[in-house]
Amino acid sequence: MIKKISVQDLRIGMFIHDLNAGWMDHVFFRSRFMLRKEEDLQKIQTSGIRELYIDTVKGMDLPEAPTQTEVQEQLMQGMLRGAQRPARAQTTHREELAYAKAVRAEADHVIRGVLADARLGKQAQVEQVEPVVAEITDSILRNPGTLVSLLRLREGDNYTFTHCVSVATLLVTFGHHLGMDRSQLMELGVGGMLHDLGKMRVPDHILNKPGKLTNEEFEIMKQHVDLGMQLLRSTPGITPAMAQIAGEHHERFGGAGYPDGLHGFQISASGRMAAIVDVYDAITSNRIYHRGMEPSVALQKIFEWSEHHFDPELAQQFIQAVGIYPVGSLVRLESQRLAVVVDLGEGSLLNPVVRVVYDARRRKPLEPQDLDLSRAEHGGDHIIGHELPGDWNIDPFSFLTLDIGL
Ligand SMILES: [Fe+2]
């Protein structure tokens, strides 16, 4: 059985199933192994890891520890408790989609240019990214769910470029949910676009290494924060919030981050927001060496880690901002039909607009049909939980762009 334990309860003879360390940028151990050496135990205990998962079939048990299933149920309940209304949308997802796709492509193009210039030692300019950040912001102001639903639409495979645009998109979405005004959202967007500028000063073989970094390589990679700050300090038009995003996105609320090991509210609000967003995008992204998590699974992880590593209040708000059932996620309805969330709608975040695509009982595809779960006329059907698309061989994204009426 998989159980969750606190790091103080970890003993030699336990089998580590998951170090639960996705909030870190670099994990020093392979993920599953029998803990045999005292030095490994000490290394884990001093790494900043606070809780982890063990497999009690393969190693020693801790009888009182909760099982993974119990933990997940509790987390889901905690997430649902905070459920709010989605931010009001001026356009439907369908109306916003074509525009959002164009903005995404434009932003990818712009950041590619800015980062290529930085690689050549050319100064980045706030003006280079501002116009496309304005377009990102306006799309999110019209429909907060659409650009976010396109995060997985990544052209090419260069994580460094797409990550910058995704972080900008998520930060603006987050800020909009928190009620910030357009100029504040623009600052978040520009800060997000430029937050990893310093990576352009990291040697290419480390930045684009297809596997895990060694400890020495990771030490060099960590320097991207200070290197980025050096570049931004001399950039005209950089505001404090923009600089905090670049300078503090690897700090962690519990103090286990870098470069300064800041703690709690020593980290600015922009920095605390950027930390959440940066990790969320990292763990949901497909990389050469690992598949990204489903958004729903990743949000649950953010919630879990917020107990020790993120600002818990902001983490709860981030989950609300992206949606407990984000656009593009696969859910199971009480009627045992599977559906893709296509719009956050106007009701509670628990009752979005979904596109029914599959009959789970008969195991056969259905003619896609949209249901607004916040309205009564659908016969009271509602979401009972998330499903993993891989388990059903369904690609939710392919249904998002289908043009069918409600
Ligand atoms: Fe970074």
Side-chain angles (χ1 to χ4, degrees):
M1 204 184 302
I2 309 303
K3 287 183 162 186
K4 185 175 176 176
I5 64 164
S6 141
V7 76
Q8 292 97 303
D9 294 326
L10 185 62
R11 297 285 179 271
I12 302 285
M14 286 181 171
F15 187 93
I16 292 172
H17 178 75
D18 175 5
L19 286 165
N20 200 28
W23 54 274
M24 277 184 176
D25 302 282
H26 180 66
V27 179
F28 303 88
F29 287 89
R30 57 192 189 284
S31 55
R32 289 180 187 173
F33 60 100
M34 172 63 88
L35 187 61
R36 297 180 201 279
K37 290 191 233 153
E38 190 62 39
E39 59 173 294
D40 285 349
L41 175 63
Q42 275 175 18
K43 209 163 150 192
I44 295 171
Q45 281 170 337
T46 53
S47 66
I49 290 171
R50 303 283 287 271
E51 295 169 322
L52 47 93
Y53 290 92
I54 56 169
D55 188 336
T56 63
V57 173
K58 296 179 177 161
M60 219 165 74
D61 191 8
L62 182 71
E64 66 270 27
T67 66
Q68 189 176 33
T69 317
E70 286 165 353
V71 169
Q72 276 170 354
E73 270 166 24
Q74 246 176 32
L75 287 171
M76 201 58 208
Q77 275 168 21
M79 284 168 66
L80 295 179
R81 251 199 302 279
Q84 298 158 7
R85 290 173 75 86
R88 193 168 287 280
Q90 294 156 17
T91 52
T92 64
H93 181 75
R94 193 153 55 107
E95 287 164 347
E96 192 62 34
L97 199 56
Y99 185 83
K101 271 187 187 169
V103 172
R104 172 85 213 190
E106 171 69 8
D108 282 346
H109 175 72
V110 168
I111 197 64
R112 207 170 269 270
V114 171
L115 294 183
D117 283 355
R119 188 59 111 195
L120 298 173
K122 245 173 87 181
Q123 172 90 44
Q125 305 291 337
V126 170
E127 293 81 37
Q128 284 174 286
V129 295
E130 241 166 15
V132 80
V133 169
E135 291 182 36
I136 289 174
T137 305
D138 290 336
S139 172
I140 291 166
L141 288 170
R142 284 192 301 269
N143 188 316
T146 307
L147 255 181
V148 166
S149 77
L150 297 179
L151 289 182
R152 313 196 104 192
L153 181 72
R154 294 177 187 265
E155 289 183 24
D157 50 7
N158 197 316
Y159 173 73
T160 308
F161 299 130
T162 53
H163 175 64
C164 295
V165 178
S166 297
V167 165
T169 301
L170 286 162
L171 275 174
V172 175
T173 305
F174 195 175
H176 176 50
H177 175 79
L178 295 175
M180 293 183 180
D181 64 28
R182 192 172 180 281
S183 73
Q184 290 173 300
L185 298 181
M186 288 280 301
E187 281 187 74
L188 290 177
V190 172
M193 288 286 263
L194 301 179
H195 81 285
D196 266 344
L197 199 60
K199 280 192 180 166
M200 293 302 107
R201 293 286 167 93
V202 172
D204 204 45
H205 70 277
I206 295 178
L207 183 63
N208 292 318
K209 188 178 175 183
K212 244 165 77 167
L213 299 180
T214 65
N215 291 353
E216 292 71 31
E217 289 166 340
F218 179 59
E219 287 307 314
I220 296 170
M221 186 67 150
K222 275 162 92 171
Q223 293 169 6
H224 81 275
V225 175
D226 285 331
L227 292 168
M229 290 305 285
Q230 281 167 24
L231 292 172
L232 289 181
R233 256 191 283 275
S234 54
T235 304
I238 289 291
T239 66
M242 294 174 192
Q244 284 155 351
I245 290 166
E248 298 175 354
H249 69 279
H250 290 287
E251 298 289 357
R252 295 290 173 263
F253 203 65
Y258 66 88
D260 296 320
L262 297 179
H263 199 274
F265 297 102
Q266 289 176 329
I267 311 166
S268 69
S270 311
R272 282 177 272 134
M273 289 168 72
I276 294 170
V277 161
D278 188 52
V279 169
Y280 176 79
D281 188 60
I283 61 178
T284 49
S285 296
N286 287 327
R287 306 289 293 275
I288 302 164
Y289 46 93
H290 74 84
R291 244 194 95 74
M293 285 182 202
E294 286 305 311
S296 56
V297 178
L299 286 177
Q300 205 175 323
K301 280 287 162 196
I302 294 289
F303 190 66
E304 178 177 10
W305 297 330
S306 72
E307 197 184 339
H308 298 293
H309 308 297
F310 299 125
D311 178 341
E313 179 59 35
L314 281 178
Q316 177 76 263
Q317 292 301 328
F318 176 68
I319 292 161
Q320 301 294 321
V322 178
I324 292 165
Y325 300 113
V327 173
S329 55
L330 185 69
V331 294
R332 183 189 286 255
L333 304 180
E334 197 186 30
S335 61
Q336 298 305 320
R337 293 178 295 176
L338 305 187
V340 177
V341 178
V342 292
D343 203 347
L344 298 180
E346 304 242 304
S348 152
L349 283 174
L350 303 181
N351 295 306
V353 180
V354 299
R355 187 158 292 167
V356 174
V357 297
Y358 197 83
D359 184 335
R361 233 180 336 223
R362 296 193 182 85
R363 294 196 155 255
K364 64 173 189 93
L366 295 168
E367 186 65 34
Q369 180 202 349
D370 284 1
L371 296 178
D372 182 345
L373 296 177
S374 69
R375 296 196 192 149
E377 63 259 24
H378 56 73
D381 211 352
H382 64 269
I383 297 174
I384 56 171
H386 284 290
E387 291 289 331
L388 294 178
D391 292 350
W392 297 94
N393 225 346
I394 290 173
D395 172 19
F397 201 79
S398 67
F399 290 102
L400 269 186
T401 44
L402 272 185
D403 190 23
I404 60 168
L406 198 68

